Amino acid sequence: MAVELKPRATREAYGDALLALGERHENVVALDADLAGSTKSGKFGAAFPERFFNVGIAEANMMNIAAGLAISGKIAYASTFAVFATGRAFDQVRQSIAQPRLPVRICASHGGLTVGEDGCTHQSVEDIGLMRLLPNMRVVVPADYNQTYAAVLESYELPGPMYIRTGRPNVPFIYGEPPAGLGKGCDVLREGTDISLFACGIMVSRTLEAAEELKKRDISAEVVNVSVLKPIDVDTVAASLTKAGCAVTAEEHSVIGGLGDAVAGVATEYCPARIGRLGIKDTFGKSGQPDQLLEEFQLTARDLVVLAEQVLKSRK
Amino acid sequence: MVAEASSGHPGGSLSATDIVTALYFKVLKHRPDDPKWAGRDRFVLSKGHCAPVLYAALARSGYFPVDDLPNLRKIDCHLQGHPDMHKTPGVEISSGSLGQGLSVSAGLSLGMRLDGLPGHVFTLLGDGESQEGEVWEAAMAAAHYKLTNLTAIVDANGLQIDGFTKDVMNVEPLPDKFAAFGWKTLAIDGHDFGQIIDALEASRSGDGPTAIIARTVKGKGVSFMENNAGWHGKAPSPEETRQALAELQGEQVPGKGEPVGS
Ligand SMILES: Cc1ncc(C[n+]2csc(CCOP(=O)(O)OP(=O)(O)O)c2C)c(N)n1
Ligand SMILES: [Mg+2]
């Protein structure tokens, strides 16, 4: 089960890890687009004002300034809300960051529906898909504060461009302390034999809850936290799928383009399996409190249990 | 409204309240009982986060019940955090991603001109929003197409989320920039109803688009919110709400018995 620490937002971990990177490495620079308080890049900004560029409300400009800094030998961390980082600046990210394989880390906060009351304009349900589509782009969706902290620290050492998605709400801890790194980004958190549950981001804690509930119903579920969605760890995903023969994926993102598609891709190529995809059903979000939205869009542990049972039944 | 929702954007709603009030209750030709009336003027809230002031004006105009207002941002209410043209009567375009409204307005103006419609398009932008490059692409296009039926009003309150606009990314001098892009440009006090109404009416004619740079105070009318970036997107506590409403109720809106920005 999730570790007993007071839940914290993954964006907080971004702010803290970025600050730590700034202290360790002179060539770390950061950029924001008038959301430094929300994305938490402002912590770095306060400590290293000469290496922090708040370019104002100009996301496209920010991405290409980041590209220029990266060409100059800097490791550039660029943040804004996920919806603007990926949507507003897509062509800049494509042409000037992904294609030239520049070390820009797009660290986008406010992924998914749990943005809450701001509503659909600010809830990004397609950012993972957009970033997965880009050649060279590494796509990371950490599950809790500690994993986010590790992902950001490790990002300094890794080559090429990267997208790291964080969130607004506090989420339970999955990891008791920051791991040394994400490794291949596919952690089996709980072993099981009847069905594999693959989850990312805020859905990981819900998936652990669902596995507990399934156990009460005599179903042995394996829980896999997929934090690196691209390149996905084919071996671990395929091994789990082969063992159980069926799976459910869970993500705070459209069922198109995200974790569900990534896992289904592995299944199709290596080990065909029946897969249910829990996610946002090709629709935009709306205003409401985060928990109400997760209920309405059917992203709760209960919904996961129902879908898992449907998948198991359909195999018989 | 914002207090009831426990979230939302009071600062930029209050800086724009006098402008939006002048529009809905003096300047716009519109029919609240027939929101799609072809002869209407259009109001576009490009800085969509200031939905509260738009919703208040629409409700007080009669587009939907004033009783809906406390349900702002709640899960089953049509009043979304940012305006949605398919959910709320009277909302002309959906907005919330900054920097896009002036382009959509230019398209509306072109469409109305093609259809021979008499209406005028009034678009409200933020000064921080004017950092988006698309605003200037739209400005170039509107002047190029000589969109006389388009007025851009910039709520120049000098603040954005991360601080003063001049410190984050200076956008001034806005009047000179619009003038250089070929717009007729007016600079006014955005809290003086006489100046607001005169400028809006004057902007209906000419041989191209008009920009009105309205100098305003973010959080206007609430002493502890005024000119303070901290009140961009934060809801007041119950005690702060009482004080804010008391201060606002001291200011009467011309032609109306009660203030609009509740
Ligand atoms: C494209 C885009 N980037 C960022 C945001 C987040 N955001 C909402 S309001 C705001 C500041 C707006 O400042 P300004 O335009 O001056 O508005 P006002 O001061 O009138 O509230 C920002 C950055 C957004 N809504 N859209
Ligand atoms: Mg402003």
Side-chain angles (χ1 to χ4, degrees):
Chain A
M1 281 314 298
V3 179
E4 291 308 320
L5 286 167
K6 201 166 156 276
R8 287 189 76 183
T10 50
R11 61 182 165 137
E12 298 280 358
Y14 169 57
D16 294 344
L18 181 62
L19 181 62
L21 280 179
E23 283 159 1
R24 286 178 212 175
H25 308 287
E26 279 291 323
N27 69 338
V28 167
V29 299
L31 304 93
D32 209 297
D34 197 31
L35 289 168
S38 299
T39 65
K40 304 298 168 190
S41 70
K43 282 193 179 175
F44 179 99
F48 307 105
E50 72 291 352
R51 286 191 264 152
F52 180 66
F53 307 97
N54 190 336
V55 302
I57 310 168
E59 296 78 9
N61 190 37
M62 173 175 74
M63 290 304 176
N64 277 343
I65 292 179
L69 284 161
I71 292 170
S72 317
K74 312 298 174 199
I75 307 293
Y77 289 78
S79 28
T80 175
F81 290 171
V83 77
F84 307 127
T86 62
R88 188 53 162 270
F90 185 77
D91 193 51
Q92 283 74 17
V93 172
R94 179 186 192 276
Q95 313 289 0
S96 303
I97 295 173
Q99 196 281 331
R101 293 193 301 278
L102 292 175
V104 174
R105 284 80 185 84
I106 301 163
C107 296
S109 73
H110 290 59
L113 292 174
T114 49
V115 166
E117 289 84 351
D118 270 354
C120 67
T121 51
H122 286 52
Q123 292 159 338
S124 128
V125 299
E126 68 286 331
D127 55 309
I128 298 172
L130 285 169
M131 292 297 106
R132 277 186 68 233
L133 270 173
L134 289 175
N136 303 327
M137 186 66 74
R138 179 178 168 90
V139 179
V140 180
V141 184
D144 73 352
Y145 177 95
N146 280 336
Q147 200 180 28
T148 307
Y149 194 89
V152 175
L153 281 194
E154 153 182 278
S155 69
Y156 179 80
E157 311 289 346
L158 296 170
M162 195 179 307
Y163 178 68
I164 302 179
R165 181 204 228 203
T166 63
R168 176 170 185 251
N170 291 328
V171 291
F173 277 79
I174 307 291
Y175 298 87
E177 51 192 66
L182 267 47
K184 290 178 143 190
C186 214
D187 288 354
V188 178
L189 298 179
R190 173 179 177 133
E191 298 207 15
T193 48
D194 295 331
I195 188 165
S196 302
L197 309 178
F198 296 97
C200 64
I202 66 159
M203 295 308 292
V204 174
S205 65
R206 286 167 178 78
T207 304
L208 287 167
E209 270 174 54
E212 199 58 34
E213 178 59 33
L214 287 165
K215 185 180 166 196
K216 291 185 193 143
R217 303 177 188 200
D218 276 335
I219 298 166
S220 159
E222 179 148 303
V223 176
V224 186
N225 170 24
V226 186
S227 55
V228 179
L229 277 79
K230 189 187 163 190
I232 195 161
D233 177 1
V234 173
D235 294 341
T236 307
V237 171
S240 183
L241 278 173
T242 307
K243 181 165 57 165
C246 67
V248 167
T249 60
E251 62 197 309
E252 191 195 9
H253 183 270
S254 172
V255 290
I256 300 173
L259 176 65
D261 273 6
V263 171
V266 175
T268 311
E269 284 197 44
Y270 302 97
C271 46
R274 165 85 208 226
I275 298 173
R277 290 179 302 175
L278 196 77
I280 297 151
K281 301 179 179 70
D282 195 18
T283 178
F284 288 104
K286 64 187 251 189
S287 291
Q289 291 169 13
D291 285 340
Q292 292 175 325
L293 292 167
L294 294 177
E295 290 272 334
E296 178 159 333
F297 288 79
Q298 300 182 324
L299 292 175
T300 67
R302 211 173 50 246
D303 297 307
L304 227 154
V305 169
V306 170
L307 183 57
E309 290 193 316
Q310 275 172 14
V311 167
L312 281 164
K313 210 173 282 164
S314 73
R315 294 183 68 223
K316 295 204 173 114
Chain B
M1 283 164 82
V2 172
E4 290 273 353
S6 304
S7 71
H9 298 85
S13 294
L14 288 168
S15 61
T17 297
D18 293 335
I19 297 162
V20 174
T21 302
L23 278 163
Y24 276 88
F25 301 103
K26 276 280 186 234
V27 175
L28 289 182
K29 297 192 186 78
H30 64 139
R31 294 181 180 165
D33 54 349
D34 183 10
K36 298 280 170 202
W37 171 50
R40 72 191 185 281
D41 293 330
R42 324 275 159 127
F43 174 64
V44 169
L45 183 67
S46 186
K47 52 168 203 153
H49 59 283
C50 299
V53 67
L54 172 61
Y55 296 157
L58 289 172
R60 299 277 175 188
S61 299
Y63 284 91
F64 53 82
V66 172
D67 288 348
D68 290 358
L69 295 177
N71 293 323
L72 169 72
R73 293 175 158 244
K74 296 200 176 139
I75 188 141
D76 285 321
C77 181
H78 65 97
L79 299 173
Q80 297 295 293
H82 295 82
D84 187 318
M85 63 190 281
H86 292 303
K87 290 195 166 150
T88 300
V91 170
E92 298 284 358
I93 72 159
S94 299
S95 59
S97 178
L98 292 168
Q100 307 197 24
L102 195 57
S103 300
V104 179
S105 299
L108 272 176
S109 299
L110 281 168
M112 288 161 73
R113 188 161 80 186
L114 286 172
D115 291 344
L117 294 174
H120 194 92
V121 181
F122 295 92
T123 302
L124 184 64
L125 305 159
D127 48 1
E129 178 179 15
S130 308
Q131 292 156 349
E132 287 284 0
E134 186 184 345
V135 170
W136 304 101
E137 296 173 25
M140 195 178 332
H144 181 82
Y145 295 126
K146 296 202 182 342
L147 296 178
T148 305
N149 59 345
L150 175 63
T151 299
I153 309 139
V154 182
D155 179 354
N157 57 28
L159 281 165
Q160 53 194 111
I161 293 188
D162 285 340
F164 289 101
T165 301
K166 67 174 167 34
D167 298 331
V168 176
M169 182 55 61
N170 190 20
V171 290
E172 297 289 351
L174 282 168
D176 294 357
K177 285 195 171 81
F178 274 99
F181 274 77
W183 290 52
K184 180 166 93 184
T185 303
L186 304 168
I188 63 164
D189 173 349
H191 299 302
D192 177 325
F193 276 100
Q195 289 188 36
I196 299 169
I197 293 165
D198 286 351
L200 291 170
E201 291 297 357
S203 75
R204 287 184 185 273
S205 58
D207 57 2
T210 304
I212 300 173
I213 312 304
R215 300 292 170 194
T216 59
V217 176
K218 198 155 177 170
K220 172 74 176 174
V222 179
S223 55
F224 58 90
M225 290 187 182
E226 283 192 358
N227 213 19
N228 180 342
W231 286 99
H232 169 84
K234 185 172 82 172
S237 70
E239 179 47 41
E240 289 164 337
T241 305
R242 265 190 296 280
Q243 189 190 334
L245 291 178
E247 289 183 19
L248 288 168
Q249 260 133 30
E251 285 189 5
Q252 297 296 306
V253 175
K256 285 267 141 185
E258 46 194 314
V260 171
S262 58

